[in-house]
Each structure stands twice: as C-alpha cells, then as structure tokens.
Amino acid sequence: MATLDPGIGEKFSRRTKRAINHDGTFNVRRRGGPHRHDSYQWLIQMQWWPFIGVVVAFFTVLNVAFAGAYLVLGLDDLPGVAAPRGWWQDFLSALFFSIQTFTSVGYGHVYPGSNGSGFISSVEALVGVLTFALATGLLYGRFSRPTARIHFSHTAIISRRPDGTPCLQFRIANQRNNTLINLQARVLLKTIDPGTNNQTYAFLPLERSEVSFFPLSWTIVHDITPESPLHARTAEDYARLDVEILIQLKGYDDTFAQEVHARNSYTHDEIEWHRRFIRAYEVDDDGIAVLDLDQLHLTESLG
Amino acid sequence: MATLDPGIGEKFSRRTKRAINHDGTFNVRRRGGPHRHDSYQWLIQMQWWPFIGVVVAFFTVLNVAFAGAYLVLGLDDLPGVAAPRGWWQDFLSALFFSIQTFTSVGYGHVYPGSNGSGFISSVEALVGVLTFALATGLLYGRFSRPTARIHFSHTAIISRRPDGTPCLQFRIANQRNNTLINLQARVLLKTIDPGTNNQTYAFLPLERSEVSFFPLSWTIVHDITPESPLHARTAEDYARLDVEILIQLKGYDDTFAQEVHARNSYTHDEIEWHRRFIRAYEVDDDGIAVLDLDQLHLTESLG
Amino acid sequence: MATLDPGIGEKFSRRTKRAINHDGTFNVRRRGGPHRHDSYQWLIQMQWWPFIGVVVAFFTVLNVAFAGAYLVLGLDDLPGVAAPRGWWQDFLSALFFSIQTFTSVGYGHVYPGSNGSGFISSVEALVGVLTFALATGLLYGRFSRPTARIHFSHTAIISRRPDGTPCLQFRIANQRNNTLINLQARVLLKTIDPGTNNQTYAFLPLERSEVSFFPLSWTIVHDITPESPLHARTAEDYARLDVEILIQLKGYDDTFAQEVHARNSYTHDEIEWHRRFIRAYEVDDDGIAVLDLDQLHLTESLG
Amino acid sequence: MATLDPGIGEKFSRRTKRAINHDGTFNVRRRGGPHRHDSYQWLIQMQWWPFIGVVVAFFTVLNVAFAGAYLVLGLDDLPGVAAPRGWWQDFLSALFFSIQTFTSVGYGHVYPGSNGSGFISSVEALVGVLTFALATGLLYGRFSRPTARIHFSHTAIISRRPDGTPCLQFRIANQRNNTLINLQARVLLKTIDPGTNNQTYAFLPLERSEVSFFPLSWTIVHDITPESPLHARTAEDYARLDVEILIQLKGYDDTFAQEVHARNSYTHDEIEWHRRFIRAYEVDDDGIAVLDLDQLHLTESLG
C-alpha cells in the first residue's frame, strides 16, 4: 500500500519544477488558513545586510515618531533646546533628544521639563530598553542557529567501478571548520511519468551511508547493479523521466552540539556521464591533509 | 500484563472528558504536594498581549514603589525638582526621576542630592539593569521556544479504498514556513466501557507512519481491516464507546534544529462518515505546488 | 566478561554509602588532576537567594573598588561633589558616582573632570555594561536550564498481584505543568556482598518500562517472579545485602523541547512490605482528572 | 565494497600525521572554495584572555574612530569641553565623550551642541547598544557551549586478563562536576601500510562499550583474542604499521541536557606494554568514593 513517497506528493495536475532546490528548500508555497508569518524566523534567517537595514529602519521610524510627539507637545516642554529656528532645526532637536532617550544616553542638556514630556520620555525609555533586549535576542538567535554548510560537487557523475559496474557518484565536503560527526546520507530517485505526470520514488542504496568523521571530502556512491532502478537507463531516459536525485544528509555538529541537516538534489541535466572525480586533497610537508574546496567539483573523463 | 495504556489511566471513578484537547493539552489538574508554579514557563507560554501587559504592569509597580520611597525621603533630597506643587505633581516628579534611573537614562536635571536618595537611586539602578537583563532572557526564550504548528483537518473521516476497504483518515499540514522533516505519526484508539467507565486503548496501524519531508499536506490513513479494533463498528458504536482517536506527532524542525512534537484527538462527534478529502494543493504556472490551508478541511461525499 | 555494573564500580576497599542520593547526585568526590571549578555551572545551579547574594556582593565589591580608585585620585577630579566632609561622606560620594557610572545612569551632576577620572570612569563604564551582559546570560541560563521535577513516592513497596505474584512498586508524578512525554524507566538492583564489600548489579525487568504520556501518576512495577533476583528474599536479606534499588528515568519535555533525565534510589530501609498504593487522583464534576501530589505517598496494608 | 574507513581517508600520496590530536581535532586544513571564516565560532571557541583582548581592542578601535570624527568636526561642537589645550588633550576629551556615549552613560557635562555632533553621537549610541547586545550573545554563547571534559590516561596499556588473555586498555574520567550519563565508546585501529601509505581501519570490540553512569573512572578494555586485528602483534609491528588507536566517546550531559562528544587517539609510542592500572579511587570515612584524577595515569608492571 504505502509507496516510497518521501512526503513530496505523487499526483499532480501538471508537471512540477525540481522538488528540492540547491539551498535545500522545496518548491512549495502556502496560502490561506491560519498560516502565520513568523517575523522571528524571518529576522533570523535573512542575510546580514538586509537585517542591519531592518534594524536601522526600525530605530529611525520609532525615533522619528517620538520626535513628532515631542514636536506636537511643543519644544517649550524640553528645556535646553535652543530657541525655535524653523521646523527642520526643531525636528532635529526633538530627534536628537529622542535618540538620547531611546538609547538611554540621556546627556541631560535637554530634558523633559513638563509632565507631558516626562510621560512621553518615560514611555520612550521603556520602549528603548525593551527594543535593545529584543535586538540582543535576535543577534544571539542569528549567531547560534546551527547550519550545516555542506558543499556539494556541482554535478553528480555516472562513473564506473574497477570491476566494470557503473555507479552514480557525487561528492561533499564541510565548508566550515565545525567538526561534523556521524554523518548519514539517504538518496532517493524521483521520476515523473511523461504521460500522467505522476511522480514515483525509489531509494538508491549506497556503498556507504554513514561516516563517523568528516574532516575531508566524502564521495557518495550508488552502484547501478541490475537491481538498481537506474539500471540500463540512458541519458535520454533520464531526461524523458525528468530524473531528480534527492539527497538528505544528517549529522551532528560537535562544535555546537546540535544535530544538523542538509538537503540537495541533482536534476538530469546536472549529471555528467562517463566521468570520475579527481582527488581533492593532498598531504603537505608536515603530514597534514589539505583539502581544496575548489577541486571538489573536478572530474575527468574515464578515458 | 502490560496493557496499551499510553499513560493516561485506565480506571476512573467517573466518566472523563476527552483525553487530549485540540491544543495538545491533557484534561488533568494537579494539587497539593511540592507542586511548583513555574513563573518562567508561565511568562514564556502566555500570549503576546498579556505578556506585554505583565511587563508594563511590573515596570509601573516597581517605579511607583521607588517614587514612593523618594517621596517619603522628601523631594528636597532630589535637587532640580520644581518647588512642591501638591502631592500629585510631587508624585509625578518622583516617578519621572525614578523611571529615568530605572532605565538608566539619567538626564541629570534631577539628581540624588543626599546620601538617602543616593542609596535608593543606586539600588534602583541595579534593579533596573537586572530587570532588563531578565526581560532580555524572557524575550529570547519566547522567540526561540520551538513549537510545531501542525494544522489538523477539523474532522477525521471514514472513507473507502479503491478496493473497497474502509479506512479512517485525517489530514495535516505545516502552518509555518519552517522546514519539518522526518515526521512520525502514532495513532491510538481510546474507548470507554459504558458499564465500568474503564478506559481501554489500542494502536491503530497506519498505511504510512513516517514521511521524510513535509512541504505539502499529509493524509494519515488507518485501514479498517478485520484485524482493526474499529472493524464493523458503526457510528452508534463509536458514540456508545465514547471513541476518541489519539494522535501523537514527532518531527524535526530543520529551521531551528530542534525536535518538535504535536498532539491532537478526534472524538466520535468529530468523525464524518462516508467522505473523502479533496486535494488541497495545485501546481501554478511556474511548476510550483501551492498548498491552500483553508482547503485542508474540505471533504466530499463518497457518492 | 562484562558485568551489569552501570558504571558505579564493583570493587571497593570499604562499604560505601548509597550510590544515588534522592536529588539524583552520586556519592563521589573528585580531587587532583586538571579538575576544573566551573563557575558558570555553579552560578547556574545554585538556589535563587544565594545567586542574588552573589550578584549583589559582586556589584558591591566592584563599586567599592572603583570608589576607592576615585578617592585615591582625589575628589577634586570629580567636579560636582560637595566639598570634603570627612572620609565616610567622601567615600559615599565616590561610591554613588561609581554606581551611576557602572549602571550607565550617569546623571552628570558629578562628572569626571580630569584625564585620570575620565580614564577610570571609561573603564568602569565598559566593565559595567559587560557585567550586565554577563548577568543577562546567567539569568537566561538559569531559567532555560531544563530540569525534570519528578516526584517519587517516599517509599517503594512490596505488594502482591491479584494472582498472588509478589511485586516491587514505586510511584512517580510530574511536579510541574510541563508536558513530559515518552517517559522511560530503567531499574537496577544493587547488592553488597557482606564479606568482600564487592557490589553486584542486576536489571529488574518492568511490567511496563515506557509511557507515551505522563499527565497523571505512573506506578512502576517489577514482578518478583522466580527469575527475579529478588525472588524469595526477606526484609532481613535486603538489610544484610544492603539492597539499593537504582532508578533511571528519561523523557522528553515537550514544553521546552529538550530531553530530561531523573535519577533516584530506594535503600532497603525505604521499602515497605505488604502494602499497596491508594489511587492518587479522582475525577471532578467537569470530567477532569485531579491528581493530588500529597497522596502520591499513600499506601495501605494489603490486609 | 564498503570498508571500515570512518571518513578519514584511505589513500594518501604521503604518510600522514596522527589522524586525531589529543584535543579531538583532525590534522586537516581547508583552502579555496566558498570556505567561510566563521567569526562567531572563532569568538566562541577562543580562550578567555584572548577573547577579553578582542573585546577591549574592538571597544578601543571603535571609540578612537568616533573620537576622530568628533575632532574632525571640531570640539566647538561639543560644549562643555575645556578650551583647546593641544591635540593630545583634545583627543582625550573627544575620546571620553565618545566612551560616555558608546556605553550610554552620558553624564552630560559634555554634550552634542550641533547638528553634526548630534548626528554622530546618535549613530554612536545606536552602535554602542548593539555592540553590547552582541557581547551579551557572545558571552552567553561562550558559557553555554556544551563541552565534555573527559580526562584520558596519558597512555594506553597492553595488559593481561586473569585467564591470560592479553588486552588493550585505557582509562577515562570526567574532569567536571557535570553529570555524564549513558556514555558510549567506540574504538578503531588505524594502520598504515609501510609500502603504499594506504590506511586501513578495523573496529576493536570492547568488553563493555557503554556505561549508564560515569561518576568514577572507566577502564575501556579490548580483549586481544585470536579474532582481534592486534592478535600476535609486537611493539615492533605497532611501530612499523604506525598503529593509532582512535577513540570516539558520546554521552549525555545531564547538567546541561545536551549530547556531548569526545575524541582522542593513542599512537604506538603512547602505548605501554605489560602494565596494569592502579585503582584511582578509594572510600573515605563517610563511605564516599574519592576519585583522584592524578592517579588516573598510574600504572604498574604486571610483575
């Protein structure tokens, strides 16, 4: 009854794009329902420059708003501000006072001299410290989010064993200095029936599906034996069936003591035929293995 | 000897409510003993608006208390405060000074001019910074608490396989954009003996109890074969036996690198008979699958 | 070859105390070697009142030290301080200025008016903000440390099954409102040879060693069948062999998404003979089960 | 097909150094590719004194830069600064104002009196609070990073069982007061073919590969039975084959509720022949076992 569908779906009204993108995401969108826009997740996962932009924008908008409130109240309530010199200068004076309150610098050459400005500045001081509490949490959350940076070879290859058995291979390495251990790989084949658009899945057994340590590169190998669903398939078959090799990796990041996962896929046009990988590391004079991440992608013809 | 009781209890003096609520909690209360009221847990789990209310209330109460202390000491100890103008104005002056100290803004137009006010403001400054340290931790704790937001279909259904086998089904989807992987389901049947009020439990084997990926919806299916404890039961039997379908889900949130769990149950009056689910996703022009969370609940008659 | 020693040791020069204390710790001390005194762990695990005492003491010592530095420099370097009025008043003035700097309140009625005081106050301001950064981390660490608060019945009991089989029982409940799931128990018997002081261990198989849910109490039962190492042993045997029942619990805290563990033991004088537990929960008018933690310990004679 | 290579590599152009260093790292370097220098990881893993140095340096560089900006603007924009008295004094005045702004102390005896200085000080105040938010996260990250401090005996030994079977042993203990439970060990033999430099690996089965508790020392034992790859090997063989004993430990830190790992290795010149370990703990007058970490390394001749 149960098929090998890994949860991606079997019946679709039309042909779909690749199931898994190179960054590990799925080609799926959600709509309707009680779907939540998770602002925390959004702020944690975005790139650094946009994140800094959001922080600066948030800081600016809040302070401009408070500056506006002080202006509405009148600058007479803020003793120490120079005599009115036009709206732009008044706005800047209010803005600087606001920022000094928000960041709790509070030089005091300008200060709240009325109940109204005392109340607004009290609220602003509270909002300010809570905002920085929030920023602290976000910065820590961004830094401590465990992410495996597994580097995949650009292409998978169809190679050949010394005994003549053809095999599917791809190669991975750890981009980071983090120590990854107990790394496990699972590989599935996705094909699409050209007639019905139905998707079918099959596990591709691996020569070795786990390594204890992962300091160098790891070449993951599926032997195309007569039992393999890839047996006797040509490059044309791969294209016709819209072959996609789905990869799921799981390991333990010993530096941050957390389980980490990675996903990727190779579509039929990302598979090179009749190639083999060139070794990506060498031993230097000190007996230390040096891994060259650029060479991870290097293949040569089987000749 | 050992029964299938999942830890909810078998013998009760009276008939109990549903075992598991829709939010995953149990209908159990604790009393007596060294039971601890965990304020951290309470502050972490409460909704956002009440939480902000608690923060504002805490901030207000502490500052009113410190303002009271300054008033008791006398405003003469706070140079810079305008001459006494009645208790309300004096209170506000003390309160604003307190808040400026608590948030460490410290403009300085009012300052502690005696040993008494120097001591109180020192204590307040320490309490203030520690309070915001606490708020920082709480805000981070609230944000980073991993919670699976699994959306369950409003009802379970009794449907029929192409080969005529009846089956129990319900459907789930991920409300969030978080990537959930390796999702596992376990389903139990709870029945209550109408005579003795004793509760009995039975596992309901599933067509598929695990999916590797969970980008779309997942329909969880129990086939009502002759071996099933639901075999040949009618809707009337379900009501008489107070049938409750208990669901336990477990998965891995790849976005936050944490195991997540969800629970739910369907009682006999939340089961629709002779229905099937309508597919909840379609493929758009870009080949991207679009999941409509509102359609997760849609069923139609088997006809 | 391998024995059942769970890692506590078999051969000792003398008779040892109980292996596991009621708080889950072991009766072992370390000395010598590169043993590290982990101040973080110490600050995280200590009770709240001592912790607050440490924080206040640390704050006081640092500020007294900085106050001393300002005094050595001379209060002339701190314009705004009232004219010298004796060492105690001078010390207080320096201390208040120090605290206003340390907490970054900085009213400014006293300020650093020389390079010397400017330098010291700059260092103090940096030390101050870093200290509060540290305090923030410690407070969060204290709150978020996952701890299972499993309440154990004060005694284990030797009871009897309806079919006459004797059995060893004890009872546990969750003190907290946290949701514990997938709770597993493992129970070992430790005996000490009265002649050699050698310790031997044996697993005690359980009627049920895991529960999926844990909202109520759980009675853990070992049947004393002829295969049990407790078979035909009397209370006198228990005392002679220094019997200790070692308990290891493991579960998943669904509220904080973390694995939690608990340990405990019952020594021979904490075992009651010929008793049974009285049910510790009842169902109220709303159909809600109410667990009374005080009744967890209640036993009655088998009669 | 699959060999026992734990992921360290089999074919090398030259002879390599030991695979695993005593601190658990591998003798591997990365170059090229999208390799990321992870500053967070670097700041989290470095020693405390260098870390404090980085913090102070960062703080100093930023404040010197802001002081420079104020100087460029001219000290007339900072009312309250004493009249110009040479570049060094002016620089110090600007630096102290900068630090008072950066740490949000803001005494206010010096304050931004122009739009230019108002803008720069606003930016500095924001940078300051965000920097301390960052420092908070780093300090917490440093403290809460789970690290098992397993103390290994300096040498492994070749000993002999009472029945005459030779065995390989080494001994470990927990340096910390953390409670480690469910500790698992895995031991591999690495040999290098003197001719081809090829590396081969073999598992060494252990007398006991897991302990539930780990309060004392644990002696890990591999019996050199005829099936063992070490059978009938001499110390000369060990040297010729460049024997390295690779050790992987995994446990659960019950104090911080996190899985922890440790690695180590013994090379052929770190193995002592014909020795046995001297017991490293004794029982004191209170019946408490006292473990002496210094004695962990003590061995004596088999005699």
Side-chain angles (χ1 to χ4, degrees), chain A residues 215-234:
Chain A
L216 288 170
S217 60
W218 178 22
T219 303
I220 296 174
V221 180
H222 164 70
D223 284 318
I224 306 179
T225 59
E227 291 75 35
S228 167
L230 292 177
H231 183 64
R233 295 293 192 183
T234 63

PDB file of all heavy atoms in Angstrom, chain A residues 215-234:
ATOM      1  N   PRO A 215      36.288  15.044   8.163  1.00  0.00           N
ATOM      2  CA  PRO A 215      37.232  16.158   8.045  1.00  0.00           C
ATOM      3  C   PRO A 215      37.590  16.467   6.599  1.00  0.00           C
ATOM      4  O   PRO A 215      37.995  17.579   6.296  1.00  0.00           O
ATOM      5  CB  PRO A 215      38.455  15.660   8.809  1.00  0.00           C
ATOM      6  CG  PRO A 215      38.396  14.179   8.714  1.00  0.00           C
ATOM      7  CD  PRO A 215      36.946  13.811   8.631  1.00  0.00           C
ATOM      8  N   LEU A 216      37.466  15.480   5.722  1.00  0.00           N
ATOM      9  CA  LEU A 216      37.870  15.652   4.319  1.00  0.00           C
ATOM     10  C   LEU A 216      36.625  15.635   3.442  1.00  0.00           C
ATOM     11  O   LEU A 216      35.566  16.056   3.873  1.00  0.00           O
ATOM     12  CB  LEU A 216      38.822  14.518   3.928  1.00  0.00           C
ATOM     13  CG  LEU A 216      40.233  14.591   4.526  1.00  0.00           C
ATOM     14  CD1 LEU A 216      40.994  13.309   4.273  1.00  0.00           C
ATOM     15  CD2 LEU A 216      40.973  15.768   3.903  1.00  0.00           C
ATOM     16  N   SER A 217      36.764  15.180   2.214  1.00  0.00           N
ATOM     17  CA  SER A 217      35.600  15.056   1.346  1.00  0.00           C
ATOM     18  C   SER A 217      35.043  13.646   1.466  1.00  0.00           C
ATOM     19  O   SER A 217      35.725  12.728   1.916  1.00  0.00           O
ATOM     20  CB  SER A 217      36.001  15.333  -0.107  1.00  0.00           C
ATOM     21  OG  SER A 217      36.978  14.397  -0.521  1.00  0.00           O
ATOM     22  N   TRP A 218      33.760  13.487   1.094  1.00  0.00           N
ATOM     23  CA  TRP A 218      33.144  12.177   1.117  1.00  0.00           C
ATOM     24  C   TRP A 218      32.479  11.976  -0.241  1.00  0.00           C
ATOM     25  O   TRP A 218      31.633  12.786  -0.631  1.00  0.00           O
ATOM     26  CB  TRP A 218      32.130  12.093   2.253  1.00  0.00           C
ATOM     27  CG  TRP A 218      31.392  10.780   2.355  1.00  0.00           C
ATOM     28  CD1 TRP A 218      31.778   9.584   1.863  1.00  0.00           C
ATOM     29  CD2 TRP A 218      30.132  10.547   2.993  1.00  0.00           C
ATOM     30  NE1 TRP A 218      30.850   8.613   2.158  1.00  0.00           N
ATOM     31  CE2 TRP A 218      29.831   9.184   2.865  1.00  0.00           C
ATOM     32  CE3 TRP A 218      29.243  11.362   3.687  1.00  0.00           C
ATOM     33  CZ2 TRP A 218      28.663   8.622   3.374  1.00  0.00           C
ATOM     34  CZ3 TRP A 218      28.085  10.803   4.196  1.00  0.00           C
ATOM     35  CH2 TRP A 218      27.809   9.445   4.048  1.00  0.00           C
ATOM     36  N   THR A 219      32.886  10.920  -0.925  1.00  0.00           N
ATOM     37  CA  THR A 219      32.258  10.588  -2.204  1.00  0.00           C
ATOM     38  C   THR A 219      31.153   9.575  -1.944  1.00  0.00           C
ATOM     39  O   THR A 219      31.412   8.483  -1.435  1.00  0.00           O
ATOM     40  CB  THR A 219      33.287  10.000  -3.187  1.00  0.00           C
ATOM     41  OG1 THR A 219      34.337  10.931  -3.351  1.00  0.00           O
ATOM     42  CG2 THR A 219      32.637   9.718  -4.531  1.00  0.00           C
ATOM     43  N   ILE A 220      29.931   9.955  -2.250  1.00  0.00           N
ATOM     44  CA  ILE A 220      28.770   9.087  -2.000  1.00  0.00           C
ATOM     45  C   ILE A 220      28.464   8.334  -3.287  1.00  0.00           C
ATOM     46  O   ILE A 220      28.371   8.934  -4.367  1.00  0.00           O
ATOM     47  CB  ILE A 220      27.581   9.931  -1.515  1.00  0.00           C
ATOM     48  CG1 ILE A 220      27.956  10.563  -0.164  1.00  0.00           C
ATOM     49  CG2 ILE A 220      26.317   9.102  -1.423  1.00  0.00           C
ATOM     50  CD1 ILE A 220      26.961  11.538   0.374  1.00  0.00           C
ATOM     51  N   VAL A 221      28.352   7.015  -3.165  1.00  0.00           N
ATOM     52  CA  VAL A 221      28.323   6.143  -4.342  1.00  0.00           C
ATOM     53  C   VAL A 221      27.106   5.220  -4.311  1.00  0.00           C
ATOM     54  O   VAL A 221      26.850   4.549  -3.307  1.00  0.00           O
ATOM     55  CB  VAL A 221      29.603   5.264  -4.393  1.00  0.00           C
ATOM     56  CG1 VAL A 221      29.571   4.345  -5.614  1.00  0.00           C
ATOM     57  CG2 VAL A 221      30.854   6.114  -4.380  1.00  0.00           C
ATOM     58  N   HIS A 222      26.350   5.215  -5.400  1.00  0.00           N
ATOM     59  CA  HIS A 222      25.296   4.213  -5.603  1.00  0.00           C
ATOM     60  C   HIS A 222      25.696   3.335  -6.781  1.00  0.00           C
ATOM     61  O   HIS A 222      25.859   3.828  -7.911  1.00  0.00           O
ATOM     62  CB  HIS A 222      23.959   4.902  -5.885  1.00  0.00           C
ATOM     63  CG  HIS A 222      22.949   3.977  -6.474  1.00  0.00           C
ATOM     64  ND1 HIS A 222      22.366   2.952  -5.759  1.00  0.00           N
ATOM     65  CD2 HIS A 222      22.421   3.903  -7.719  1.00  0.00           C
ATOM     66  CE1 HIS A 222      21.512   2.293  -6.541  1.00  0.00           C
ATOM     67  NE2 HIS A 222      21.530   2.843  -7.736  1.00  0.00           N
ATOM     68  N   ASP A 223      25.837   2.042  -6.505  1.00  0.00           N
ATOM     69  CA  ASP A 223      26.195   1.112  -7.586  1.00  0.00           C
ATOM     70  C   ASP A 223      24.965   0.785  -8.411  1.00  0.00           C
ATOM     71  O   ASP A 223      23.930   0.390  -7.873  1.00  0.00           O
ATOM     72  CB  ASP A 223      26.789  -0.173  -6.987  1.00  0.00           C
ATOM     73  CG  ASP A 223      28.224   0.038  -6.520  1.00  0.00           C
ATOM     74  OD1 ASP A 223      28.980   0.702  -7.239  1.00  0.00           O
ATOM     75  OD2 ASP A 223      28.553  -0.434  -5.408  1.00  0.00           O
ATOM     76  N   ILE A 224      25.112   0.951  -9.734  1.00  0.00           N
ATOM     77  CA  ILE A 224      23.978   0.673 -10.625  1.00  0.00           C
ATOM     78  C   ILE A 224      24.017  -0.801 -10.996  1.00  0.00           C
ATOM     79  O   ILE A 224      24.405  -1.188 -12.096  1.00  0.00           O
ATOM     80  CB  ILE A 224      24.013   1.598 -11.849  1.00  0.00           C
ATOM     81  CG1 ILE A 224      24.084   3.063 -11.388  1.00  0.00           C
ATOM     82  CG2 ILE A 224      22.771   1.395 -12.714  1.00  0.00           C
ATOM     83  CD1 ILE A 224      24.150   4.087 -12.504  1.00  0.00           C
ATOM     84  N   THR A 225      23.612  -1.631 -10.028  1.00  0.00           N
ATOM     85  CA  THR A 225      23.527  -3.079 -10.250  1.00  0.00           C
ATOM     86  C   THR A 225      22.227  -3.380 -10.981  1.00  0.00           C
ATOM     87  O   THR A 225      21.383  -2.494 -11.146  1.00  0.00           O
ATOM     88  CB  THR A 225      23.528  -3.794  -8.890  1.00  0.00           C
ATOM     89  OG1 THR A 225      22.406  -3.314  -8.145  1.00  0.00           O
ATOM     90  CG2 THR A 225      24.796  -3.490  -8.102  1.00  0.00           C
ATOM     91  N   PRO A 226      22.028  -4.622 -11.401  1.00  0.00           N
ATOM     92  CA  PRO A 226      20.755  -4.947 -12.078  1.00  0.00           C
ATOM     93  C   PRO A 226      19.535  -4.654 -11.212  1.00  0.00           C
ATOM     94  O   PRO A 226      18.443  -4.420 -11.724  1.00  0.00           O
ATOM     95  CB  PRO A 226      20.895  -6.451 -12.361  1.00  0.00           C
ATOM     96  CG  PRO A 226      22.377  -6.663 -12.475  1.00  0.00           C
ATOM     97  CD  PRO A 226      22.997  -5.704 -11.493  1.00  0.00           C
ATOM     98  N   GLU A 227      19.709  -4.590  -9.880  1.00  0.00           N
ATOM     99  CA  GLU A 227      18.571  -4.291  -9.005  1.00  0.00           C
ATOM    100  C   GLU A 227      18.267  -2.802  -8.931  1.00  0.00           C
ATOM    101  O   GLU A 227      17.223  -2.396  -8.415  1.00  0.00           O
ATOM    102  CB  GLU A 227      18.846  -4.799  -7.587  1.00  0.00           C
ATOM    103  CG  GLU A 227      18.874  -6.317  -7.451  1.00  0.00           C
ATOM    104  CD  GLU A 227      20.155  -6.915  -8.019  1.00  0.00           C
ATOM    105  OE1 GLU A 227      21.208  -6.248  -7.896  1.00  0.00           O
ATOM    106  OE2 GLU A 227      20.110  -8.010  -8.610  1.00  0.00           O
ATOM    107  N   SER A 228      19.189  -1.977  -9.385  1.00  0.00           N
ATOM    108  CA  SER A 228      19.008  -0.532  -9.229  1.00  0.00           C
ATOM    109  C   SER A 228      17.928  -0.023 -10.185  1.00  0.00           C
ATOM    110  O   SER A 228      17.830  -0.472 -11.333  1.00  0.00           O
ATOM    111  CB  SER A 228      20.324   0.181  -9.530  1.00  0.00           C
ATOM    112  OG  SER A 228      20.105   1.560  -9.687  1.00  0.00           O
ATOM    113  N   PRO A 229      17.109   0.914  -9.749  1.00  0.00           N
ATOM    114  CA  PRO A 229      16.106   1.497 -10.668  1.00  0.00           C
ATOM    115  C   PRO A 229      16.759   2.297 -11.793  1.00  0.00           C
ATOM    116  O   PRO A 229      16.074   2.665 -12.739  1.00  0.00           O
ATOM    117  CB  PRO A 229      15.280   2.403  -9.751  1.00  0.00           C
ATOM    118  CG  PRO A 229      16.118   2.636  -8.553  1.00  0.00           C
ATOM    119  CD  PRO A 229      17.013   1.456  -8.403  1.00  0.00           C
ATOM    120  N   LEU A 230      18.076   2.540 -11.695  1.00  0.00           N
ATOM    121  CA  LEU A 230      18.773   3.260 -12.754  1.00  0.00           C
ATOM    122  C   LEU A 230      19.387   2.300 -13.771  1.00  0.00           C
ATOM    123  O   LEU A 230      19.979   2.737 -14.778  1.00  0.00           O
ATOM    124  CB  LEU A 230      19.891   4.140 -12.159  1.00  0.00           C
ATOM    125  CG  LEU A 230      19.442   5.319 -11.312  1.00  0.00           C
ATOM    126  CD1 LEU A 230      20.647   6.046 -10.736  1.00  0.00           C
ATOM    127  CD2 LEU A 230      18.606   6.282 -12.147  1.00  0.00           C
ATOM    128  N   HIS A 231      19.246   0.994 -13.533  1.00  0.00           N
ATOM    129  CA  HIS A 231      19.904   0.003 -14.382  1.00  0.00           C
ATOM    130  C   HIS A 231      19.487   0.167 -15.854  1.00  0.00           C
ATOM    131  O   HIS A 231      18.300   0.271 -16.162  1.00  0.00           O
ATOM    132  CB  HIS A 231      19.548  -1.401 -13.894  1.00  0.00           C
ATOM    133  CG  HIS A 231      20.254  -2.478 -14.667  1.00  0.00           C
ATOM    134  ND1 HIS A 231      21.629  -2.624 -14.667  1.00  0.00           N
ATOM    135  CD2 HIS A 231      19.775  -3.455 -15.463  1.00  0.00           C
ATOM    136  CE1 HIS A 231      21.965  -3.653 -15.422  1.00  0.00           C
ATOM    137  NE2 HIS A 231      20.840  -4.176 -15.927  1.00  0.00           N
ATOM    138  N   ALA A 232      20.496   0.209 -16.712  1.00  0.00           N
ATOM    139  CA  ALA A 232      20.282   0.227 -18.166  1.00  0.00           C
ATOM    140  C   ALA A 232      19.567   1.472 -18.650  1.00  0.00           C
ATOM    141  O   ALA A 232      19.047   1.506 -19.770  1.00  0.00           O
ATOM    142  CB  ALA A 232      19.526  -1.038 -18.625  1.00  0.00           C
ATOM    143  N   ARG A 233      19.505   2.503 -17.858  1.00  0.00           N
ATOM    144  CA  ARG A 233      18.908   3.758 -18.299  1.00  0.00           C
ATOM    145  C   ARG A 233      19.967   4.606 -19.003  1.00  0.00           C
ATOM    146  O   ARG A 233      21.121   4.663 -18.568  1.00  0.00           O
ATOM    147  CB  ARG A 233      18.375   4.557 -17.091  1.00  0.00           C
ATOM    148  CG  ARG A 233      17.227   3.898 -16.351  1.00  0.00           C
ATOM    149  CD  ARG A 233      15.992   3.843 -17.227  1.00  0.00           C
ATOM    150  NE  ARG A 233      14.818   3.483 -16.429  1.00  0.00           N
ATOM    151  CZ  ARG A 233      13.618   3.309 -16.948  1.00  0.00           C
ATOM    152  NH1 ARG A 233      13.427   3.449 -18.266  1.00  0.00           N
ATOM    153  NH2 ARG A 233      12.592   2.986 -16.186  1.00  0.00           N
ATOM    154  N   THR A 234      19.575   5.278 -20.056  1.00  0.00           N
ATOM    155  CA  THR A 234      20.481   6.166 -20.774  1.00  0.00           C
ATOM    156  C   THR A 234      20.211   7.609 -20.384  1.00  0.00           C
ATOM    157  O   THR A 234      19.228   7.915 -19.694  1.00  0.00           O
ATOM    158  CB  THR A 234      20.256   6.036 -22.290  1.00  0.00           C
ATOM    159  OG1 THR A 234      18.913   6.474 -22.560  1.00  0.00           O
ATOM    160  CG2 THR A 234      20.422   4.595 -22.759  1.00  0.00           C
TER     161      THR A 234
END
